[in-house]
Amino acid sequence: MTNTSPILFPKLQRILSEVGENIKLARLRRKLSSEQVAERAGIGRSTLVKIEQGHPGVGIGNYLNVLRVLGLEQDFLLLAKDDELGRKLQDIGLTVKKRAPKTNKMIGNT
């Protein structure tokens, strides 16, 4: 079985590269070497380099371990948190029950 990376559209690759760059900047701000972060995350240095480059073949668990080392694991919970489009689509699909028409009964008139 060959280990192939997923093919991403250019826009998605740019997003992944930006995530990698953000992780690298967070590591540098903390003055941690790539060796230190890789060891603490339980991954190889080459995997960390791939994460920082935004390589699409790196497992999501490796990203989470690196974020944990940097103290940023809670940032992962922000992904898809504010699903504005999904809520709008949900609201469009909601059905509103129609009320039965009121009947005008005259009490006492026969």
Side-chain angles (χ1 to χ4, degrees):
M1 190 170 177
T2 60
N3 189 6
T4 59
S5 295
I7 298 171
L8 298 179
F9 288 113
K11 180 179 179 180
L12 298 179
Q13 183 57 59
R14 283 192 297 273
I15 290 171
L16 196 53
S17 294
E18 187 174 336
V19 168
E21 181 67 18
N22 290 345
I23 289 173
K24 181 177 182 176
L25 291 172
R27 175 179 63 79
L28 294 173
R29 281 191 292 269
R30 287 160 179 73
K31 298 185 184 339
L32 294 171
S33 71
S34 58
E35 292 85 9
Q36 289 172 314
V37 172
E39 182 180 328
R40 293 175 188 178
I43 60 175
R45 187 176 168 279
S46 62
T47 301
L48 179 61
V49 169
K50 287 180 180 179
I51 288 172
E52 291 181 349
Q53 291 174 346
H55 191 276
V58 179
I60 196 78
N62 292 327
Y63 276 89
L64 281 168
N65 279 330
V66 170
L67 290 172
R68 177 189 51 80
V69 169
L70 299 173
L72 298 171
E73 66 273 10
Q74 292 298 312
D75 287 4
F76 196 78
L77 294 173
L78 300 176
L79 293 174
K81 183 176 179 177
D82 186 24
D83 184 14
E84 187 176 331
L85 174 62
R87 279 189 266 114
K88 286 181 182 178
L89 292 171
Q90 183 181 27
D91 291 346
I92 289 171
L94 294 178
T95 57
V96 178
K97 293 182 181 179
K98 291 187 176 182
R99 296 180 72 167
K102 292 183 178 180
T103 57
N104 290 330
K105 292 186 180 179
M106 298 187 133
I107 300 176
N109 277 343
T110 50

